[in-house]
C-alpha cells in the first residue's frame, strides 16, 4: 500500500521513537565514518562493523528495536557507501534504503540525524535536497487500479523529522521545498507513464496536463485533430490515422522572465501506445509500449516543476500525442507525408513513428525562435543495446550545448552519454521518392540515424539536443533503488529543470 510522507526540518530532538544515523564506509581504514554521537551508540556501530554485520555500505542497515538509548526507542543505522564516493545518487539510495526499512519494520517515521548525512559534504543544503528527493521518489507506487472494489483505506502518513545541531537555516528550508516540488512533479510524470494505454489516451494525457497546470503560471493550449490537420502537422496526423483515438498537440507556456528573453523549448514524444502500426511489433513485450509517452510525460513534469519553482526563465513544453495502431486508415509502408516545415517523408516502416510525430513539433518549436530546443523520446530499441538502462543517450553537434547538458545532468545526478551525430547519418535518411525516408537503408547506428532524421526539422541556427530515453524511461530499479521496481522513472525531469536555469 502506498503511504503519505511528511518531512520537516528542525533542531535535533533528543527523544522519539526511532533515531536514524547514516554511516559511511571508510575503506582505507576499514572503519565506519560516523558523526559525533554518544559513546554508547558509537560502540554499537563499531562492534557491528568488527563483526561484519554492518560496514556502512550502500543499501546496508543495522536496526536495534527497543534499544532505549538517549530517549529513543529504536536505533537505525543506514549505510551511505564508500566515504569518498558519496554523491547525490548515493544519498538518494540511502534514503530509499531507510524508507524501505521503516516500512518493513512497520515504524511510523523517524528522527534523522542531519549531521550524519552532511558529514564530509561540501554543500549541506544540496545534500538535504538530494536525500529528501530520494525519500519522496522511492515512496512512489502506482496502485490506483488495484483493489477497486475494496473500501479504500486512508493511506498512513510516515513522519520524518530531519534534526540539525542548530535551528535550520532558510536555505535548508528552501532545499526541502525544492525537493518536494521536484519529486512531486517527477512522481506525477511516472503516474502518467504507468497508466495503461486504455487509461492514458492522447485526450486523457492532454486533460491531465490541463488539470495539473491549474493554479500555476502555466498556460496550456490543446489542439484537436482538426486543428492538427489545419496546422499542417502531417506526421502527427498521419500516425494517428490508424487509431480510433484522436491525436492531441499539447502546448504548455511559462513566462518567468521578460518577454524579450528567448524561451527554452522542451519537446516530448507522447505516443500513448505503440503497437507498430501496419509494421506491427511482435507480441512478446508489446505491453511495455504503453510507456512510449514517457518523453511527453516528462516534458509535462518538467514544465510543472519549472513553474512551481518559479524559475526566472521563459519555457515552452510541446507534446505531440497519438496512438500508433493498424486501423484501416493507418499509414501504409511507402506512404508519403508532408511535415510542418514542408519536407516530404516516405514512411517505409510505420513502427518508426516517434520521429514522425516529433518532426512537426520540432518544426513548430523552431518557429518560436527559441534559445534552445531539447527533445526527449523513447525513440529507438538500439539505444538500449548501446547504453543499457543507466545512461540516457544525448545527440547534438553543439559541443557548448553538450557541456551545458553534462553540467545540468551532473547537478541533477542523472546520467547522460554523448552519442555520435554526423553527416553520414543524415545521408542514410535520404528518401527515394521524397526528401527523407523514416528508416535508414542499413540497420547500423539506429539511434544516430533517428537523431539525424529529427535534425532535419530543427532550424539550422537553433541549439538543439535530442535525448533518447528508450533505455532509461522505465524499469531502471536494478541500478537505481529510488525508482520503482517496475514502472516509469521520470528520468531527465531534474536535468531539464537544471538546464532551463542555464538560459
Ligand atoms: N517506441 C519504439 C522504440 C522502443 C523500442 C522503445 C523498445 C523502447 C523499447 C519506436 O517507436 C520504434 O519502434 N522504433 C523502431 C525503429 C525502427 C523501426 C527503425 C526500433 O527501435 O526498432
Ligand atoms: Zn514504434
Ligand atoms: Zn514508439
Amino acid at each position: 500500500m502506498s503511504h503519505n510522507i511528511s518531512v520537516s526540518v528542525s533542531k535535533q530532538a533528543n527523544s522519539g521513537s526511532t533515531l536514524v544515523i547514516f554511516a559511511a564506509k571508510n575503506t582505507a581504514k576499514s572503519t565506519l565514518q560516523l558523526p559525533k554521537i554518544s559513546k554508547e551508540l558509537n560502540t554499537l556501530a563499531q562492534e557491528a562493523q568488527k563483526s561484519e554485520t554492518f560496514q556502512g555500505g550502500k543499501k546496508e542497515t543495522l536496526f536495534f528495536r527497543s534499544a532505549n538509548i538517549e530517549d529513543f526507542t529504536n536505533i537505525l543505522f543506514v549505510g551511505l557507501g564508500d566515504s569518498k564516493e558519496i554523491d547525490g545518487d548515493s544519498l538518494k539510495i540511502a534514503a530509499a534504503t531507510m524508507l524501505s526499512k521503516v516500512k518493513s519494520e512497520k515504524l511510523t517515521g523517524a528522527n534523522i540525524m542531519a549531521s550524519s548525512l552532511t558529514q564530509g559534504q561540501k554543500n549541506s543544503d544540496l545534500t538535504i535536497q538530494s536525500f529528501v528527493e530520494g525519500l519522496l521518489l522511492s515512496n512512489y507506487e502506482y496502485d490506483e487500479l488495484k483493489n477497486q472494489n475494496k473500501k479504500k483505506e486512508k493511506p498512513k502518513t510516515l513522519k520524518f523529522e530531519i534534526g540539525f545541531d542548530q535551528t535550520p537555516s532558510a536555505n535548508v528550508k528552501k532545499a526541502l521545498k525544492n525537493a518536494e516540488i521536484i519529486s512531486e512533479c517527477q512522481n506525477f510524470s511516472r503516474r502518467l507513464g504507468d497508466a495503461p494505454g486504455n487509461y492514458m489516451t492522447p485526450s486523457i494525457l492532454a486533460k491531465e496536463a490541463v488539470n495539473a497546470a491549474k493554479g500555476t503560471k502555466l498556460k496550456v493550449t490543446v489542439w484537436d485533430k482538426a486543428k492538427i490537420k489545419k496546422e499542417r502537422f502531417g506526421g502527427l496526423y498521419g500516425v494517428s490515422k490508424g487509431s480510433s483515438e484522436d491525436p492531441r498537440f499539447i502546448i504548455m507556456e511559462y513566462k518567468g522572465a521578460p518577454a524579450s528573453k528567448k524561451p527554452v523549448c522542451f519537446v516530448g514524444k507522447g505516443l500513448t501506445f505503440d503497437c507498430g502500426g501496419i509494421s506491427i511489433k511482435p507480441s512478446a513485450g508489446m505491453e511495455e509500449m504503453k510507456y512510449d509517452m514517457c518523453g511527453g510525460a516528462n516534458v509535462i513534469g518538467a514544465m510543472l516543476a519549472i513553474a512551481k519553482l518559479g524559475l526566472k526563465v521563459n519555457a515552452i513544453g510541446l507534446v505531440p500525442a497519438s496512438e500508433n495502431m493498424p486501423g484501416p486508415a493507418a499509414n501504409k509502408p511507402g506512404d508519403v507525408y508532408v511535415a510542418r516545415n514542408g519536407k516530404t517523408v516516405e514512411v517505409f516502416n510505420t513502427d518508426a513513428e516517434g520521429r514522425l510525430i516529433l518532426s512537426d513539433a520540432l518544426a513548430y518549436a523552431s518557429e518560436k525562435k527559441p534559445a534552445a530546443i531539447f527533445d526527449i523520446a523513447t525513440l529507438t530499441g538500439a539505444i538500449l543495446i548501446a547504453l543499457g538502462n543507466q545512461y540516457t543517450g544525448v545527440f547534438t553537434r553543439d559541443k557548448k550545448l553538450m557541456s551545458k547538458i553534462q553540467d545540468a545532468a551532473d547537478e541533477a545526478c542523472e546520467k547522460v552519454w554523448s552519442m555520435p551525430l554526423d553527416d553520414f547519418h543524415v545521408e542514410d535518411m535520404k528518401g527515394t521518392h521524397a526528401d527523407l525516408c523514416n528508416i535508414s537503408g542499413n540497420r547500423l547506428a539506429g539511434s544516430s540515424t533517428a537523431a539525424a532524421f529529427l535534425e532535419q526539422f530543427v532550424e539550422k541556427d537553433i541549439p538543439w539536443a535530442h535525448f533518447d530515453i528508450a533505455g532509461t524511461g522505465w524499469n531502471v530499479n536494478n541500478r537505481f533503488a529510488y525508482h520503482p521496481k517496475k514502472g516509469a522513472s521520470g528520468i531527465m525531469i531534474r536535468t531539464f529543470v537544471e538546464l532551463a536555469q542555464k538560459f
Side-chain angles (χ1 to χ4, degrees):
M1 214 193 63
S2 60
H3 295 70
N4 286 331
I5 287 197
S6 84
V7 192
S8 59
V9 288
S10 59
K11 194 156 186 260
Q12 179 67 53
N14 39 28
S15 68
S17 76
T18 304
L19 176 67
V20 182
I21 302 165
F22 290 87
K25 184 177 186 170
N26 187 329
T27 320
K29 293 192 200 150
S30 296
T31 55
L32 288 177
Q33 183 182 297
L34 285 159
K36 262 201 199 116
I37 46 175
S38 70
K39 214 172 152 199
E40 203 175 350
L41 284 172
N42 196 46
T43 313
L44 273 184
Q46 299 300 352
E47 275 176 8
Q49 197 276 333
K50 271 186 219 130
S51 65
E52 295 187 6
T53 43
F54 179 73
Q55 306 276 312
K58 266 187 194 166
K59 299 192 192 175
E60 284 182 18
T61 57
L62 177 68
F63 185 53
F64 297 95
R65 189 177 274 284
S66 304
N68 293 315
I69 299 177
E70 286 191 5
D71 291 332
F72 283 98
T73 316
N74 313 308
I75 305 291
L76 172 62
F77 288 97
V78 178
L80 281 168
D82 197 316
S83 58
K84 287 206 186 71
E85 286 165 17
I86 298 171
D87 59 10
D89 216 49
S90 42
L91 288 161
K92 287 193 187 70
I93 292 172
T97 307
M98 176 196 75
L99 182 62
S100 117
K101 192 73 185 164
V102 164
K103 285 181 179 174
S104 68
E105 294 291 341
K106 308 252 183 297
L107 306 175
T108 55
N111 289 82
I112 296 158
M113 194 185 273
S115 58
S116 69
L117 279 170
T118 54
Q119 52 169 332
Q121 295 302 302
K122 271 190 224 124
N123 185 328
S124 55
D125 303 331
L126 283 181
T127 300
I128 297 300
Q129 184 172 332
S130 283
F131 174 78
V132 177
E133 284 173 3
L135 178 60
L136 299 176
L137 289 173
S138 64
N139 185 46
Y140 169 83
E141 211 179 311
Y142 184 73
D143 58 3
E144 51 195 75
L145 299 179
K146 284 183 179 166
N147 301 322
Q148 295 257 316
N149 47 16
K150 270 197 204 153
K151 221 177 126 208
K152 282 260 180 320
E153 284 169 53
K154 245 185 131 191
K156 270 193 229 147
T157 299
L158 302 177
K159 276 180 127 176
F160 292 93
E161 209 172 292
I162 308 179
F164 292 80
D165 296 339
Q166 300 103 13
T167 311
S169 65
N171 281 347
V172 166
K173 287 186 186 145
K174 186 146 186 257
L176 170 62
K177 187 78 204 142
N178 286 352
E180 284 173 342
I181 291 174
I182 291 170
S183 356
E184 180 207 329
C185 295
Q186 190 167 341
N187 286 340
F188 174 76
S189 295
R190 286 166 162 186
R191 204 190 113 244
L192 300 180
D194 286 336
N198 60 331
Y199 282 78
M200 196 45 64
T201 59
S203 56
I204 300 175
L205 184 64
K207 273 191 205 131
E208 290 278 0
V210 169
N211 286 340
K214 281 188 183 142
T216 72
K217 271 178 73 187
L218 283 168
K219 181 181 157 211
V220 186
T221 313
V222 179
W223 291 2
D224 65 5
K225 188 175 180 170
K227 175 80 170 161
I228 287 166
K229 191 175 179 197
K230 189 164 163 248
E231 292 288 342
R232 306 180 322 280
F233 275 37
L236 175 58
Y237 184 76
V239 169
S240 77
K241 279 193 312 178
S243 168
S244 54
E245 290 291 338
D246 280 358
R248 291 288 184 269
F249 184 56
I250 307 164
I251 305 168
M252 301 177 91
E253 291 166 283
Y254 171 72
K255 292 195 170 79
S260 57
K261 202 169 163 199
K262 284 183 174 183
V264 182
C265 269
F266 297 103
V267 181
K269 172 177 173 183
L271 211 296
T272 58
F273 190 77
D274 179 15
C275 81
I278 298 293
S279 315
I280 199 158
K281 288 180 183 293
S283 24
M286 199 200 268
E287 69 284 352
E288 291 201 27
M289 285 299 112
K290 71 170 184 179
Y291 291 115
D292 213 17
M293 36 59 75
C294 282
N298 297 0
V299 162
I300 295 171
M303 289 301 297
L304 284 170
I306 288 168
K308 290 186 180 197
L309 291 166
L311 300 188
K312 291 186 173 47
V313 293
N314 293 329
I316 304 176
L318 302 171
V319 181
S322 175
E323 278 191 347
N324 187 23
M325 298 290 280
N331 272 334
K332 303 172 292 296
D335 280 1
V336 171
Y337 78 90
V338 188
R340 169 85 176 182
N341 67 351
K343 290 197 180 172
T344 55
V345 181
E346 288 171 332
V347 181
F348 272 21
N349 188 320
T350 66
D351 195 12
E353 84 300 333
R355 58 198 77 182
L356 309 188
I357 69 170
L358 288 169
S359 68
D360 299 316
L362 288 169
Y364 181 79
S366 300
E367 292 165 22
K368 304 278 168 199
K369 305 273 173 240
I373 301 175
F374 301 104
D375 79 70
I376 173 164
T378 48
L379 204 64
T380 63
I383 201 76
L384 265 157
I385 309 300
L387 297 182
N389 68 357
Q390 288 183 78
Y391 284 84
T392 292
V394 180
F395 300 78
T396 181
R397 300 203 203 207
D398 186 330
K399 291 208 167 68
K400 258 200 192 151
L401 189 65
M402 189 61 223
S403 123
K404 271 194 183 145
I405 293 168
Q406 187 65 62
D407 289 348
D410 289 346
E411 285 152 22
C413 277
E414 293 187 312
K415 295 187 188 300
V416 294
W417 199 259
S418 171
M419 297 289 290
L421 170 54
D422 202 296
D423 289 348
F424 303 127
H425 303 122
V426 177
E427 203 52 45
D428 286 347
M429 302 308 286
K430 294 264 152 79
T432 311
H433 295 125
D435 300 329
L436 295 161
C437 181
N438 80 327
I439 53 167
S440 153
N442 64 58
R443 290 174 48 246
L444 308 178
S447 307
S448 292
T449 51
F453 179 90
L454 296 181
E455 188 187 39
Q456 305 317 304
F457 301 90
V458 180
E459 233 167 71
K460 276 260 156 356
D461 48 350
I462 302 173
W464 160 78
H466 155 63
F467 292 66
D468 195 336
I469 58 160
T472 52
W474 68 93
N475 294 5
V476 299
N477 175 278
N478 60 329
R479 310 285 188 192
F480 304 108
Y482 49 92
H483 285 297
K485 278 224 161 56
K486 284 203 174 227
S489 61
I491 207 76
M492 293 298 126
I493 292 176
R494 296 198 310 274
T495 298
F496 280 5
V497 168
E498 293 295 339
L499 257 177
Q501 300 176 70
K502 296 189 187 297
F503 289 89

